[in-house]
Structure formats: C-alpha cells, structure tokens
Coordinates of all heavy atoms in Angstrom, one line a residue:
V1 N -40.3 0.5 -30.6 CA -40.2 -0.7 -31.3 C -39.6 -0.5 -32.7 O -40.1 0.4 -33.4 CB -41.6 -1.4 -31.4 CG1 -41.5 -2.7 -32.2 CG2 -42.2 -1.6 -30.1
S2 N -38.7 -1.2 -33.1 CA -38.0 -1.0 -34.4 C -38.7 -1.9 -35.5 O -39.0 -3.1 -35.2 CB -36.5 -1.4 -34.3 OG -35.9 -0.4 -33.5
F3 N -38.8 -1.4 -36.7 CA -39.3 -2.1 -37.8 C -38.4 -1.7 -39.0 O -37.8 -0.7 -39.0 CB -40.8 -1.7 -38.2 CG -41.8 -2.1 -37.1 CD1 -42.2 -1.3 -36.2 CD2 -42.3 -3.4 -37.2 CE1 -43.1 -1.6 -35.2 CE2 -43.2 -3.8 -36.2 CZ -43.6 -2.9 -35.2
A4 N -38.4 -2.6 -40.0 CA -37.5 -2.4 -41.2 C -38.4 -2.1 -42.4 O -38.4 -2.8 -43.4 CB -36.7 -3.6 -41.4
F5 N -39.2 -1.0 -42.3 CA -40.1 -0.6 -43.4 C -39.2 0.2 -44.4 O -38.4 1.0 -44.0 CB -41.2 0.3 -43.0 CG -42.3 -0.4 -42.2 CD1 -42.9 0.1 -41.1 CD2 -42.8 -1.7 -42.6 CE1 -43.9 -0.5 -40.4 CE2 -43.8 -2.3 -41.9 CZ -44.3 -1.7 -40.8
E6 N -39.4 -0.1 -45.7 CA -38.8 0.8 -46.7 C -39.9 1.7 -47.3 O -39.6 2.8 -47.7 CB -38.2 -0.1 -47.8 CG -37.4 0.8 -48.8 CD -36.7 -0.1 -49.8 OE1 -35.9 -1.0 -49.3 OE2 -36.8 0.1 -51.0
K7 N -41.2 1.3 -47.2 CA -42.3 2.1 -47.7 C -43.4 2.0 -46.7 O -43.7 0.9 -46.1 CB -42.8 1.6 -49.0 CG -41.8 1.7 -50.1 CD -42.3 1.2 -51.4 CE -41.3 1.2 -52.5 NZ -41.8 0.7 -53.8
L8 N -44.1 3.1 -46.4 CA -45.3 3.1 -45.6 C -46.5 3.4 -46.5 O -46.4 4.3 -47.3 CB -45.2 4.1 -44.5 CG -44.3 3.8 -43.3 CD1 -44.2 5.0 -42.3 CD2 -44.9 2.6 -42.6
R9 N -47.5 2.7 -46.3 CA -48.8 2.9 -47.1 C -49.8 3.6 -46.2 O -50.6 4.4 -46.7 CB -49.3 1.6 -47.6 CG -48.2 0.9 -48.5 CD -48.8 0.3 -49.7 NE -47.8 -0.3 -50.5 CZ -47.3 0.2 -51.6 NH1 -47.7 1.4 -52.0 NH2 -46.3 -0.4 -52.3
V10 N -49.9 3.2 -44.9 CA -50.9 3.8 -44.0 C -50.2 4.1 -42.7 O -49.5 3.4 -42.1 CB -52.0 2.7 -43.8 CG1 -53.0 3.3 -42.8 CG2 -52.7 2.4 -45.1
M11 N -50.6 5.3 -42.2 CA -50.2 5.7 -40.8 C -51.5 6.2 -40.1 O -52.2 7.1 -40.7 CB -49.2 6.9 -40.8 CG -47.9 6.4 -41.4 SD -46.7 7.8 -41.4 CE -47.1 8.6 -42.9
R12 N -51.8 5.6 -39.0 CA -53.0 6.0 -38.2 C -52.6 6.4 -36.8 O -51.9 5.5 -36.1 CB -54.0 4.9 -38.2 CG -55.3 5.2 -37.4 CD -56.3 4.1 -37.5 NE -57.4 4.4 -36.7 CZ -58.0 3.5 -35.8 NH1 -57.6 2.3 -35.8 NH2 -59.1 3.9 -35.1
F13 N -52.9 7.6 -36.3 CA -52.5 8.0 -35.0 C -53.8 8.4 -34.3 O -54.5 9.2 -34.7 CB -51.6 9.2 -35.1 CG -51.1 9.7 -33.8 CD1 -50.0 9.1 -33.2 CD2 -51.7 10.8 -33.2 CE1 -49.5 9.6 -32.0 CE2 -51.2 11.3 -32.0 CZ -50.1 10.7 -31.4
V14 N -54.0 7.7 -33.1 CA -55.3 7.9 -32.4 C -55.0 8.5 -31.0 O -54.2 7.9 -30.2 CB -56.0 6.6 -32.2 CG1 -57.3 6.8 -31.4 CG2 -56.3 5.9 -33.5
N15 N -55.6 9.6 -30.7 CA -55.4 10.3 -29.3 C -56.6 9.6 -28.5 O -57.7 9.9 -28.7 CB -55.6 11.8 -29.4 CG -55.4 12.5 -28.1 OD1 -55.5 11.9 -27.1 ND2 -55.2 13.8 -28.2
K16 N -56.2 8.8 -27.5 CA -57.2 8.1 -26.7 C -57.7 8.9 -25.5 O -58.6 8.5 -24.8 CB -56.5 6.8 -26.1 CG -56.0 5.9 -27.2 CD -57.2 5.3 -28.0 CE -57.9 4.3 -27.2 NZ -59.0 3.6 -27.9
S17 N -57.2 10.2 -25.3 CA -57.7 11.0 -24.2 C -59.2 11.3 -24.4 O -59.7 11.5 -25.5 CB -56.9 12.3 -24.2 OG -57.4 13.2 -23.2
T18 N -59.8 11.5 -23.2 CA -61.2 12.0 -23.2 C -61.3 13.3 -22.5 O -62.4 13.8 -22.2 CB -62.1 10.9 -22.5 OG1 -61.6 10.7 -21.2 CG2 -62.2 9.6 -23.3
T19 N -60.2 13.9 -22.2 CA -60.1 15.2 -21.5 C -60.0 16.4 -22.6 O -59.2 16.3 -23.4 CB -58.9 15.3 -20.6 OG1 -59.0 14.2 -19.7 CG2 -58.9 16.6 -19.8
A20 N -60.9 17.3 -22.4 CA -60.9 18.5 -23.4 C -59.5 19.1 -23.5 O -58.8 19.3 -22.4 CB -62.0 19.5 -22.9
N21 N -59.2 19.5 -24.6 CA -57.9 20.3 -24.9 C -56.7 19.5 -24.7 O -55.6 20.1 -24.7 CB -57.9 21.6 -24.1 CG -59.0 22.5 -24.5 OD1 -59.3 22.7 -25.7 ND2 -59.7 23.1 -23.5
Q22 N -56.7 18.2 -24.6 CA -55.5 17.4 -24.5 C -55.1 17.0 -25.9 O -55.1 15.8 -26.2 CB -55.6 16.2 -23.5 CG -55.5 16.6 -22.1 CD -55.4 15.4 -21.2 OE1 -55.7 14.2 -21.6 NE2 -54.9 15.6 -20.0
Y23 N -54.6 17.9 -26.6 CA -54.1 17.7 -28.0 C -52.8 16.9 -28.0 O -52.0 17.2 -27.1 CB -54.0 19.0 -28.8 CG -55.2 19.5 -29.3 CD1 -56.1 20.2 -28.5 CD2 -55.6 19.3 -30.6 CE1 -57.3 20.8 -28.9 CE2 -56.8 19.8 -31.1 CZ -57.6 20.6 -30.3 OH -58.8 21.1 -30.7
L24 N -52.6 16.1 -28.9 CA -51.3 15.5 -29.2 C -50.9 15.9 -30.6 O -51.7 16.2 -31.4 CB -51.3 14.0 -29.1 CG -51.5 13.4 -27.7 CD1 -51.6 11.9 -27.8 CD2 -50.3 13.7 -26.8
Y25 N -49.6 15.9 -30.9 CA -49.1 16.4 -32.2 C -48.3 15.2 -32.8 O -47.4 14.7 -32.1 CB -48.3 17.7 -32.1 CG -49.2 18.8 -31.5 CD1 -49.4 19.0 -30.2 CD2 -49.9 19.5 -32.4 CE1 -50.2 20.0 -29.7 CE2 -50.8 20.5 -32.0 CZ -50.9 20.7 -30.6 OH -51.8 21.7 -30.2
F26 N -48.6 14.8 -34.0 CA -48.0 13.7 -34.6 C -47.2 14.2 -35.8 O -47.6 15.0 -36.6 CB -49.2 12.8 -35.2 CG -48.7 11.6 -36.0 CD1 -47.9 10.6 -35.5 CD2 -49.1 11.6 -37.4 CE1 -47.5 9.6 -36.3 CE2 -48.7 10.5 -38.2 CZ -47.9 9.5 -37.7
G27 N -45.9 13.7 -35.8 CA -45.0 14.1 -36.9 C -44.2 15.3 -36.6 O -43.6 15.9 -37.4
A28 N -44.2 15.7 -35.3 CA -43.4 16.8 -34.9 C -41.9 16.6 -35.1 O -41.4 15.5 -35.0 CB -43.7 17.1 -33.4
S29 N -41.3 17.7 -35.5 CA -39.8 17.6 -35.8 C -39.1 17.2 -34.5 O -39.3 17.8 -33.4 CB -39.3 18.9 -36.3 OG -37.9 19.0 -36.2
E30 N -38.2 16.2 -34.5 CA -37.5 15.8 -33.3 C -36.6 16.9 -32.9 O -36.4 17.1 -31.7 CB -36.7 14.5 -33.6 CG -36.0 14.0 -32.4 CD -35.3 12.7 -32.7 OE1 -35.7 12.0 -33.7 OE2 -34.4 12.3 -32.0
A31 N -36.0 17.7 -33.8 CA -35.1 18.8 -33.5 C -35.9 20.0 -32.9 O -35.3 20.7 -32.1 CB -34.3 19.2 -34.7
N32 N -37.1 20.1 -33.3 CA -37.9 21.3 -32.8 C -39.4 20.8 -32.6 O -40.3 21.1 -33.3 CB -37.9 22.4 -33.9 CG -38.5 23.6 -33.4 OD1 -39.0 23.7 -32.2 ND2 -38.6 24.6 -34.2
P33 N -39.6 20.1 -31.5 CA -40.9 19.5 -31.2 C -41.9 20.6 -30.8 O -41.9 21.1 -29.7 CB -40.7 18.5 -30.1 CG -39.5 19.0 -29.4 CD -38.7 19.7 -30.4
S34 N -42.8 20.9 -31.7 CA -43.8 21.9 -31.4 C -45.0 21.7 -32.4 O -44.9 21.0 -33.3 CB -43.3 23.3 -31.6 OG -43.1 23.6 -32.9
E35 N -46.1 22.5 -32.1 CA -47.3 22.4 -32.9 C -47.0 22.8 -34.3 O -47.7 22.4 -35.3 CB -48.4 23.2 -32.3 CG -48.8 22.8 -30.9 CD -48.1 23.4 -29.8 OE1 -46.9 23.9 -30.0 OE2 -48.6 23.4 -28.7
A36 N -46.0 23.6 -34.6 CA -45.8 24.2 -35.9 C -45.3 23.1 -36.9 O -45.4 23.3 -38.1 CB -44.7 25.3 -35.8
F37 N -44.8 22.0 -36.4 CA -44.3 21.0 -37.3 C -45.0 19.7 -37.3 O -44.5 18.6 -37.6 CB -42.8 20.7 -37.0 CG -41.9 21.9 -37.1 CD1 -41.6 22.7 -36.0 CD2 -41.4 22.2 -38.3 CE1 -40.8 23.8 -36.1 CE2 -40.6 23.3 -38.4 CZ -40.3 24.1 -37.3
A38 N -46.3 19.7 -37.0 CA -47.1 18.5 -36.8 C -48.6 18.6 -37.1 O -49.1 19.7 -37.3 CB -46.9 18.0 -35.3
I39 N -49.2 17.5 -37.1 CA -50.7 17.4 -37.3 C -51.3 17.4 -35.9 O -50.9 16.5 -35.0 CB -51.1 16.1 -38.0 CG1 -50.5 16.1 -39.4 CG2 -52.6 16.0 -38.1 CD1 -50.6 14.8 -40.1
A40 N -52.2 18.3 -35.6 CA -52.8 18.3 -34.3 C -53.9 17.3 -34.2 O -54.8 17.2 -35.1 CB -53.4 19.7 -34.0
V41 N -53.9 16.4 -33.2 CA -54.9 15.4 -33.0 C -55.7 15.6 -31.7 O -55.1 15.5 -30.6 CB -54.3 14.0 -33.1 CG1 -55.4 12.9 -33.0 CG2 -53.5 13.8 -34.3
A42 N -56.9 16.0 -31.8 CA -57.7 16.3 -30.6 C -58.1 15.1 -29.8 O -58.0 14.0 -30.3 CB -59.0 17.0 -31.1
P43 N -58.5 15.3 -28.6 CA -58.9 14.1 -27.7 C -60.0 13.4 -28.4 O -60.9 14.0 -28.9 CB -59.3 14.8 -26.4 CG -59.0 16.2 -26.5 CD -58.6 16.5 -27.9
G44 N -59.9 12.1 -28.4 CA -60.9 11.2 -29.0 C -61.0 11.2 -30.5 O -61.9 10.8 -31.1
S45 N -59.9 11.7 -31.1 CA -59.8 11.9 -32.6 C -58.6 11.1 -33.1 O -57.8 10.6 -32.4 CB -59.7 13.4 -33.0 OG -60.8 14.1 -32.5
E46 N -58.5 11.1 -34.4 CA -57.4 10.4 -35.1 C -57.0 11.1 -36.3 O -57.7 11.9 -36.9 CB -57.7 9.0 -35.4 CG -58.8 8.8 -36.4 CD -59.2 7.3 -36.6 OE1 -59.6 6.7 -35.7 OE2 -58.9 6.8 -37.7
A47 N -55.7 10.9 -36.7 CA -55.2 11.3 -38.0 C -54.9 10.0 -38.8 O -54.3 9.1 -38.3 CB -53.9 12.1 -37.8
L48 N -55.4 10.0 -40.1 CA -55.2 8.9 -40.9 C -54.6 9.4 -42.2 O -55.1 10.2 -42.9 CB -56.5 8.2 -41.2 CG -56.5 7.0 -42.1 CD1 -55.7 5.8 -41.5 CD2 -57.9 6.5 -42.4
L49 N -53.4 8.8 -42.6 CA -52.7 9.2 -43.8 C -52.6 7.9 -44.6 O -52.1 6.9 -44.2 CB -51.3 9.7 -43.5 CG -51.3 11.0 -42.7 CD1 -50.6 10.8 -41.4 CD2 -50.8 12.1 -43.5
I50 N -53.1 8.0 -45.9 CA -53.0 6.8 -46.8 C -52.4 7.2 -48.1 O -52.8 8.2 -48.7 CB -54.4 6.3 -47.0 CG1 -55.1 5.8 -45.7 CG2 -54.4 5.1 -48.0 CD1 -56.6 5.5 -45.9
N51 N -51.4 6.5 -48.5 CA -50.8 6.7 -49.9 C -50.8 5.4 -50.6 O -49.8 4.6 -50.5 CB -49.4 7.3 -49.7 CG -48.9 7.7 -51.0 OD1 -49.3 7.3 -52.1 ND2 -47.9 8.6 -51.0
H52 N -51.9 5.0 -51.2 CA -52.0 3.7 -51.9 C -51.3 3.7 -53.2 O -51.1 2.6 -53.8 CB -53.5 3.3 -52.0 CG -54.3 4.2 -52.7 ND1 -54.4 4.3 -54.1 CD2 -55.1 5.2 -52.2 CE1 -55.3 5.2 -54.4 NE2 -55.7 5.8 -53.3
L53 N -51.0 4.9 -53.8 CA -50.4 4.9 -55.1 C -48.9 4.8 -55.1 O -48.3 3.8 -55.7 CB -50.8 6.1 -55.9 CG -50.4 6.3 -57.3 CD1 -50.9 5.1 -58.2 CD2 -50.8 7.6 -57.9
D54 N -48.3 5.7 -54.4 CA -46.8 5.7 -54.4 C -46.2 5.2 -53.1 O -45.0 4.8 -53.1 CB -46.3 7.1 -54.6 CG -46.7 7.7 -55.9 OD1 -46.7 6.9 -56.9 OD2 -47.0 8.9 -56.0
S55 N -46.9 5.2 -52.0 CA -46.4 5.0 -50.6 C -45.5 6.1 -50.2 O -45.0 6.9 -50.9 CB -45.8 3.6 -50.5 OG -44.5 3.6 -51.1
Y56 N -45.3 6.1 -48.9 CA -44.3 7.0 -48.3 C -43.0 6.4 -48.2 O -42.8 5.4 -47.4 CB -44.8 7.5 -46.9 CG -46.2 8.1 -46.9 CD1 -47.3 7.4 -46.5 CD2 -46.3 9.4 -47.3 CE1 -48.6 8.0 -46.5 CE2 -47.6 10.0 -47.3 CZ -48.7 9.3 -46.9 OH -49.9 9.9 -46.9
L57 N -42.0 6.9 -48.8 CA -40.6 6.3 -48.8 C -40.0 6.5 -47.5 O -40.1 7.6 -46.9 CB -39.8 6.9 -49.9 CG -38.4 6.3 -50.1 CD1 -38.5 4.8 -50.5 CD2 -37.6 7.0 -51.2
V58 N -39.4 5.5 -46.9 CA -38.6 5.6 -45.7 C -37.1 5.4 -46.0 O -36.7 4.5 -46.7 CB -39.1 4.5 -44.7 CG1 -38.3 4.5 -43.4 CG2 -40.6 4.5 -44.4
N59 N -36.4 6.4 -45.5 CA -34.9 6.3 -45.7 C -34.2 6.9 -44.5 O -34.8 7.2 -43.5 CB -34.5 7.0 -47.1 CG -34.9 8.4 -47.1 OD1 -34.8 9.1 -46.1 ND2 -35.4 8.9 -48.3
S60 N -32.9 7.0 -44.6 CA -32.1 7.5 -43.4 C -32.4 8.9 -43.0 O -32.1 9.3 -41.9 CB -30.6 7.3 -43.7 OG -30.3 8.2 -44.8
T61 N -33.0 9.7 -43.9 CA -33.3 11.1 -43.5 C -34.8 11.3 -43.0 O -35.1 12.3 -42.5 CB -33.1 12.1 -44.7 OG1 -34.0 11.7 -45.8 CG2 -31.7 12.0 -45.2
N62 N -35.6 10.3 -43.1 CA -37.0 10.4 -42.6 C -37.5 9.2 -42.0 O -38.7 8.8 -42.1 CB -37.9 10.9 -43.8 CG -38.1 9.8 -44.8 OD1 -37.4 8.7 -44.8 ND2 -39.0 9.9 -45.7
N63 N -36.7 8.5 -41.2 CA -37.1 7.2 -40.6 C -37.6 7.3 -39.2 O -37.7 6.3 -38.5 CB -35.9 6.2 -40.7 CG -34.7 6.7 -39.9 OD1 -34.7 7.8 -39.4 ND2 -33.7 5.8 -39.8
L64 N -37.9 8.5 -38.7 CA -38.4 8.7 -37.4 C -39.8 9.4 -37.4 O -39.9 10.3 -38.1 CB -37.5 9.5 -36.5 CG -36.1 9.0 -36.3 CD1 -35.2 10.0 -35.5 CD2 -36.1 7.6 -35.5
L65 N -40.7 8.8 -36.6 CA -42.0 9.5 -36.4 C -41.9 10.0 -35.0 O -41.6 9.3 -34.0 CB -43.2 8.6 -36.6 CG -43.4 8.1 -38.0 CD1 -44.5 7.0 -37.9 CD2 -43.9 9.2 -38.8
T66 N -42.3 11.2 -34.8 CA -42.2 11.8 -33.4 C -43.6 12.3 -33.0 O -44.4 12.8 -33.8 CB -41.3 13.0 -33.5 OG1 -40.0 12.6 -34.0 CG2 -41.1 13.6 -32.1
T67 N -43.9 12.2 -31.7 CA -45.1 12.8 -31.1 C -44.7 13.8 -30.1 O -43.6 13.7 -29.5 CB -46.0 11.7 -30.4 OG1 -45.2 11.1 -29.4 CG2 -46.4 10.6 -31.4
Y68 N -45.5 14.8 -30.0 CA -45.3 15.9 -29.1 C -46.5 16.0 -28.1 O -47.6 16.1 -28.6 CB -45.1 17.2 -29.8 CG -44.9 18.5 -29.0 CD1 -44.0 18.6 -28.0 CD2 -45.8 19.5 -29.2 CE1 -43.8 19.7 -27.3 CE2 -45.7 20.7 -28.5 CZ -44.7 20.8 -27.5 OH -44.6 21.9 -26.7
N69 N -46.2 16.0 -26.8 CA -47.3 16.1 -25.8 C -47.1 17.3 -25.0 O -46.2 17.3 -24.0 CB -47.3 14.8 -25.0 CG -48.4 14.9 -23.9 OD1 -49.1 15.8 -23.8 ND2 -48.3 13.9 -23.0
P70 N -47.7 18.4 -25.2 CA -47.5 19.7 -24.4 C -48.4 19.7 -23.1 O -48.4 20.8 -22.5 CB -48.0 20.7 -25.4 CG -49.1 20.1 -26.2 CD -48.7 18.7 -26.3
N71 N -49.0 18.6 -22.8 CA -50.0 18.7 -21.7 C -49.5 18.6 -20.3 O -50.2 18.9 -19.4 CB -51.0 17.5 -21.9 CG -51.8 17.7 -23.2 OD1 -52.5 18.6 -23.4 ND2 -51.5 16.8 -24.2
G72 N -48.3 18.2 -20.1 CA -47.8 18.1 -18.7 C -48.2 16.9 -18.0 O -47.8 16.6 -16.8
V73 N -49.1 16.0 -18.6 CA -49.5 14.8 -18.1 C -49.4 13.7 -19.2 O -49.5 14.1 -20.4 CB -50.9 14.8 -17.5 CG1 -51.0 15.7 -16.3 CG2 -51.9 15.2 -18.5
A74 N -49.3 12.5 -18.8 CA -49.3 11.4 -19.8 C -50.6 11.3 -20.5 O -51.7 11.4 -19.9 CB -49.0 10.1 -19.2
V75 N -50.6 11.2 -21.8 CA -51.8 11.0 -22.7 C -51.5 9.7 -23.5 O -50.5 9.6 -24.2 CB -52.0 12.2 -23.6 CG1 -53.2 11.9 -24.5 CG2 -52.2 13.4 -22.7
T76 N -52.5 8.8 -23.5 CA -52.4 7.5 -24.2 C -52.7 7.7 -25.7 O -53.7 8.5 -26.0 CB -53.3 6.5 -23.6 OG1 -53.0 6.3 -22.2 CG2 -53.2 5.2 -24.3
Y77 N -52.0 7.1 -26.5 CA -52.3 7.1 -28.0 C -52.0 5.8 -28.6 O -51.3 4.9 -28.0 CB -51.5 8.2 -28.7 CG -50.0 8.0 -28.7 CD1 -49.4 7.3 -29.7 CD2 -49.2 8.6 -27.7 CE1 -48.0 7.1 -29.7 CE2 -47.8 8.4 -27.8 CZ -47.2 7.7 -28.8 OH -45.9 7.5 -28.8
E78 N -52.5 5.6 -29.8 CA -52.3 4.4 -30.5 C -51.7 4.8 -31.9 O -52.1 5.8 -32.5 CB -53.6 3.6 -30.8 CG -54.2 3.0 -29.5 CD -55.6 2.4 -29.8 OE1 -56.1 2.5 -30.9 OE2 -56.1 1.8 -28.8
L79 N -50.7 4.0 -32.3 CA -50.1 4.2 -33.6 C -50.1 3.0 -34.4 O -49.7 1.9 -34.0 CB -48.6 4.7 -33.4 CG -47.8 4.9 -34.7 CD1 -48.4 6.0 -35.6 CD2 -46.4 5.2 -34.3
Y80 N -50.7 3.1 -35.6 CA -50.8 1.9 -36.5 C -50.0 2.3 -37.8 O -50.2 3.3 -38.4 CB -52.2 1.6 -36.9 CG -53.1 1.3 -35.8 CD1 -53.7 2.3 -35.1 CD2 -53.3 0.0 -35.4 CE1 -54.6 2.1 -34.0 CE2 -54.2 -0.3 -34.3 CZ -54.8 0.8 -33.6 OH -55.6 0.5 -32.6
L81 N -49.1 1.4 -38.2 CA -48.3 1.6 -39.4 C -48.4 0.3 -40.3 O -48.3 -0.8 -39.8 CB -46.8 1.7 -39.1 CG -46.4 2.9 -38.1 CD1 -45.0 2.8 -37.7 CD2 -46.7 4.2 -38.8
I82 N -48.7 0.6 -41.5 CA -48.8 -0.5 -42.5 C -47.8 -0.2 -43.6 O -47.9 0.9 -44.2 CB -50.2 -0.7 -43.1 CG1 -51.2 -1.0 -42.0 CG2 -50.3 -1.8 -44.2 CD1 -52.7 -1.0 -42.4
G83 N -46.9 -1.1 -43.8 CA -45.8 -0.8 -44.8 C -45.3 -2.1 -45.3 O -45.8 -3.2 -45.2
S84 N -44.2 -2.0 -46.0 CA -43.5 -3.1 -46.6 C -42.0 -2.9 -46.6 O -41.5 -1.8 -46.6 CB -44.0 -3.3 -48.1 OG -43.6 -2.2 -48.9
P85 N -41.2 -4.0 -46.6 CA -39.8 -3.9 -46.5 C -39.2 -3.6 -47.9 O -38.0 -3.3 -47.9 CB -39.4 -5.3 -46.1 CG -40.4 -6.2 -46.5 CD -41.7 -5.4 -46.5
V86 N -39.9 -3.6 -48.9 CA -39.4 -3.2 -50.3 C -40.4 -2.4 -51.0 O -41.5 -2.3 -50.7 CB -39.0 -4.4 -51.1 CG1 -37.8 -5.1 -50.5 CG2 -40.1 -5.4 -51.2

C-alpha cells in the first residue's frame, strides 16, 4: 500500500506468531535482507519506534520499509505507521 508520508512519527511492528523461534526482522536492508540489518521481533512481541521531537524524515533514499522472514513459512504481522505529508 502506498502512502505519501514526508515524516514518520511512529512505527509499530507486531509479530502475530505464537510459534516459538518464529522471529521476523523489521527494517532489513532490501539489498541485503538479513538479521544483521534489522530489529528482531520475537513471536508475540512488537517493536515500537517513536520520534515525537524531530520525526523520521522520508525521502527518495529511505522510503522503503522491509521485513525479512527466515522461517520458511508465512508469518502474520501488523504494521502501523503514523506520519504526516509535510
């Protein structure tokens, strides 16, 4: 789904799995998707990033969020983004 955010204030990533060791990785590099470039989110857990002072700037060099699933099976997740167009 495409959005026209210029600034992000909140990013919340929820791993909905209930199976042990089904980690998902949020923010993985699209060019090199691996655990080394991401936040590990355990099953039944979440990652919450908040920047209420400056916000996270979105531009042509950082406009993609990537997830990495090394599990070999589909794992459900939720992604919440709160931002503004300016």
